Every structure is written in C-alpha cells, then in structure tokens.
Amino acid sequence: MTDRSNGVGTSDTVRSCPFDFAEGVEFDPLLRQLMTEAPISRITMAYGQGEAWLVTRFEDVRTVTTDRRFSRAAVAGKDFPRMTPEPIVQSESINLLDPPESSRLRRLVSQAFTAPRVEAMKPKTQRIVDALLDEMADHGPPADVVKHLSSRLPLTTICEVLDIPESDRPELRRRAMEMMTIGAATRETAVKAKAELRAYFSELTKIRRENPGDDLISSLATARDGDEILGADELTVMAMVLLMTGHDTSTYQLSNITYTLLTHPDQLAKVRARPEMLPQALEELLRWIPFRKGVGIPRIATEDVELGGVTIKAGDTVHVSYLAANRDPKRFDRPDELDLERAPLPHMTFGWGAHHCVGSPLAIMEIQLAIGTMLDRFPGLELAVPASEVRWNTESIWRYPHELPVSW
C-alpha cells in the first residue's frame, strides 16, 4: 500500500485491484468495499503502468463520462492501467475519440441502429431464435442454453447484419475472444488475434467500399454526414468493433439472464404471469447483473478537476465502474435487490454519454426476443443441475457460465 492523501470520502491508500472475481452473478466484494470506503480511490491493476483513479458513484461516473475535461482520445498510445495484457482498443476506434470527432462517427454509425432499422431486423432475428430453439427442443432435455442459443444468436445476427460469410464466423469469434483474455501468458495470442481481425476487416471493408450491398458495412462505407464519409482505417476498425461489441454483451447476458431468472423463481413467476412486463423486467436484469469484471477503457484528465471532494490532476488516468454505478443506493432504491417490478430508471450497462453503445437497441431487441420466446416455448424451464455446479468463466473480462444445462 502507498500512502496518499486523497481528501474527503476517499481512501488514503492505493489499492491493488485484480478485478478477477467470477463467482456466478455475485457482486465483486472488492468493488463493493471500494464503493463503501473510497468511492473515488487510487488503484493499480494487473497490467499497464502507474496508478489510476477509480470512480464508482453514479453521479461522479456521469460527470466523468460527459465532462470534456476527461478525454478518451488522450489514452491513445499510453500503457494505461488495465485488466488485459494487450489493450483491446485501437486508436482509430470510436471508443478512443472525443466529441466532436466521435460525434461525427456516431452520427454515421447510428444510422444503422435507428428504431425503424432495428424493427425491420426483428422478423429475421425471430426466425433465427425459432430455428435455434427448434434445435434445442429436438435435442431434448437436458440441453445447454449456451451451446444452443447464447453463443449462436448474437453472433449469427451481427454477422447477418454485416454480411459475413458463415464459414468465417467461428474463426472470427475465436479471435475476438482471444482479445478479451486476462492471463499474462495470453498477450502474444491477443496481439496476433487483433492483427488478424484487423487484416480480415481491412480486406472486407475495401471490397464493400468498391461493391456495396445491403449490409451494414456497405451502409457505413457509403453513409455521409454532409460531405463526410468514414476513412479506410475508420471503416476497418468500426466493422471490427461492431463484430466484437455486437455479440459480446448479448451473448453473455442471454446466459446470465436465463441463469438469474431460473435461480430467482419468485421473479420468474412474475414474468410468466405477466409476459407484457418482460421489457421492464429485462431493464432491471441488465442493471442488476454484473455483466463484466472491473472496468473498461479509462479517460485522461486534461486539466485539474475537483470531483467528489478530491482533486484529479491533469494527466491522471481515470477509470469508471458502470457496475458500481448500477448499484449506487443514491440512484437506485434497494440497489442490491433484484426487483423486476422496479420502475424503470436509466442504468449504465450500455455505458453513458458520448460512448453509450450505439448498438444497444439491437442487443435489447435480441435479448427480448430470445428470452420471451424461450420462456413461452418451455413453460417448465429449469436448471438441470444445482446452481452450485454451473461453471463460470474466469479467463476473460466477461462474467458468464461456460455451460447452462436446462430441462423442461
């Protein structure tokens, strides 16, 4: 521990934060301790140089994610404190841009995720869901929800939207997963996976630029914001980001939501009794489930900023925890209680501010169709093993079960 005077409401020590807790959907006790004892604290992490601030209160997280004195772009090229041996992001990514530069890209990309476009995707997504659940029914109980539904639906949907050949999809998913691993021995593999993904999408986007079709990559290649279009590198990285983020959260949350409902029978009974409440229930499940570990991409303070009783100095690295913000008692009444009848209140599962996930409408649509159809098709759905026997991922930044055996 390193002594450091941090001011009101913060710790006077620097905490080592591996953020490797992976016990089901239980909340990380280290993160809870920091939320209680030091809502704005100094931390070190498994990879990267130096220290960072960790911000956990909802309002403070909102400030960091919307105040332009905290820059994502300034992260580029820095060996910032992080969870993975190799940084996941690339400098051309929308995730490393600040407004107004990021606003231009968001306007272009958001054209693909408008309410009418997502609504138009629903019939095809429903057909995919039905086909996958047909296979699960034909297999018979016990069947693995991860194998039959979670690992396939979001990847199939985003690849259909991007028009990625079916034969390429398993390899692309493998590379995407390799980039998310947290073990030191995986650094070389992660670097190689990132380079291979970039090369693949560089070639694919070049082809779509020259011969556009009806897919999302073609739409992005030809989309205009005034006279602006996406540059070659921007388009390459955007397609890569869409593949990764377009299936990650949905894949893992489908499994997590199913597990949570099946281990909270009183809450499941409410949804079964009132299927119309599913959209509201899913918002609460998305808020409550710790869908990942620790933190994501940080920001750099571009000038001294007073926040929550402390002075964050220019040049300091600042991480925010969306997980902690989603459990802030000043924002959510009884935050640790799963209450599917809770009045909807915006949460941070899909981020906040300039980096709120533009593809979240697609993810929510997929999850709602999948969970709603599965509960309707299998009214007796239940875990086929004791909850204590479900194996949870410990190798990546995501929280999810490796298998989820169910019967009906």
Side-chain angles (χ1 to χ4, degrees):
M1 293 290 201
T2 303
D3 289 336
R4 187 175 181 115
S5 179
N6 289 336
V8 177
T10 65
S11 171
D12 61 356
T13 58
V14 178
R15 316 266 182 132
S16 175
C17 293
F19 291 131
D20 55 359
F21 184 79
E23 295 184 16
V25 290
E26 297 299 316
F27 199 79
D28 186 338
L30 172 60
L31 188 54
R32 180 170 307 287
Q33 182 183 3
L34 293 174
M35 290 168 61
T36 304
E37 298 177 3
I40 301 178
S41 54
R42 296 290 286 178
I43 65 170
T44 59
M45 300 181 69
Y47 305 99
Q49 297 297 311
E51 302 170 0
W53 292 97
L54 175 65
V55 177
T56 60
R57 289 194 185 109
F58 191 97
E59 286 302 320
D60 292 337
V61 171
R62 176 151 57 184
T63 296
V64 172
T65 55
T66 56
D67 191 318
R68 294 196 182 184
R69 293 175 295 176
F70 297 99
S71 169
R72 274 276 184 89
V75 168
K78 293 185 182 294
D79 188 19
F80 58 86
R82 60 187 182 273
M83 296 175 60
T84 57
E86 172 70 6
I88 295 169
V89 295
Q90 302 182 67
S91 57
E92 302 93 340
S93 170
I94 192 173
N95 292 331
L96 279 193
L97 295 177
D98 298 325
E101 289 80 7
S102 63
S103 303
R104 165 182 160 270
L105 282 183
R106 287 182 69 87
R107 282 193 298 269
L108 289 166
V109 176
S110 64
Q111 295 174 28
F113 296 104
T114 61
R117 280 184 176 260
V118 171
E119 185 68 24
M121 295 181 200
K122 284 180 71 173
K124 189 167 191 176
T125 305
Q126 183 68 64
R127 288 195 294 272
I128 296 170
V129 169
D130 291 339
L132 294 175
L133 292 180
D134 284 345
E135 289 184 22
M136 190 166 106
D138 290 343
H139 178 280
D144 180 10
V145 169
V146 174
K147 176 182 176 182
H148 287 282
L149 182 67
S150 306
S151 67
R152 297 172 64 186
L153 172 63
L155 182 65
T156 300
T157 302
I158 195 62
C159 285
E160 290 285 335
V161 169
L162 299 175
D163 193 19
I164 291 174
E166 192 167 346
S167 59
D168 294 348
R169 297 174 188 179
E171 193 68 12
L172 292 177
R173 174 167 169 74
R174 178 187 65 78
R175 291 169 182 162
M177 292 182 71
E178 286 174 348
M179 287 180 62
M180 303 294 179
T181 54
I182 58 178
T186 65
R187 179 189 293 270
E188 185 176 331
T189 301
V191 171
K192 184 172 181 285
K194 181 192 282 190
E196 290 173 343
L197 278 174
R198 180 157 186 149
Y200 177 89
F201 281 105
S202 177
E203 180 63 22
L204 184 63
T205 53
K206 179 184 176 185
I207 293 170
R208 299 291 167 80
R209 179 89 81 184
E210 295 169 351
N211 298 285
D214 296 328
D215 59 282
L216 177 54
I217 294 175
S218 296
S219 296
L220 292 174
T222 56
R224 290 186 173 273
D225 181 27
D227 293 330
E228 295 280 352
I229 63 171
L230 290 174
D233 287 341
E234 290 176 328
L235 183 59
T236 294
V237 174
M238 181 57 67
M240 189 171 160
V241 168
L242 285 169
L243 173 78
M244 295 176 66
T245 61
H247 80 271
D248 271 338
T249 305
S250 301
T251 295
Y252 307 134
Q253 288 290 53
L254 276 174
S255 299
N256 291 338
I257 288 170
T258 302
Y259 171 86
T260 302
L261 286 172
L262 296 183
T263 53
H264 291 76
D266 56 330
Q267 299 295 320
L268 176 59
K270 293 178 183 179
V271 179
R272 288 202 179 282
R274 294 168 50 208
E276 71 278 3
M277 72 175 286
L278 182 60
Q280 173 184 339
L282 289 177
E283 290 297 330
E284 170 69 351
L285 286 157
L286 289 168
R287 177 199 72 83
W288 186 84
I289 293 170
F291 63 101
R292 60 164 297 152
K293 302 169 189 172
V295 295
I297 307 167
R299 291 162 177 81
I300 306 295
T302 58
E303 58 183 84
D304 292 359
V305 181
E306 292 291 327
L307 184 70
V310 306
T311 300
I312 296 175
K313 298 289 188 180
D316 283 357
T317 300
V318 184
H319 273 292
V320 299
S321 172
Y322 294 131
L323 302 176
N326 280 348
R327 296 292 187 101
D328 185 345
K330 292 184 178 179
R331 171 71 173 180
F332 302 99
D333 184 40
R334 302 167 287 109
D336 294 326
E337 181 181 332
L338 179 66
D339 179 6
L340 301 190
E341 295 178 302
R342 185 188 300 272
L345 196 61
H347 54 74
M348 290 189 170
T349 295
F350 291 106
W352 199 270
H355 292 282
H356 183 272
C357 176
V358 293
S360 60
L362 175 61
I364 292 170
M365 181 268 284
E366 288 176 344
I367 292 170
Q368 186 171 328
L369 287 182
I371 296 297
T373 305
M374 182 166 57
L375 293 181
D376 183 60
R377 288 276 301 268
F378 305 104
L381 194 71
E382 61 183 4
L383 286 179
V385 298
S388 60
E389 293 183 12
V390 175
R391 291 191 317 120
W392 291 84
N393 165 66
T394 60
E395 297 84 32
S396 85
I397 64 174
W398 300 105
R399 298 273 293 273
Y400 61 90
H402 284 300
E403 303 93 18
L404 193 62
V406 296
S407 56
W408 54 88

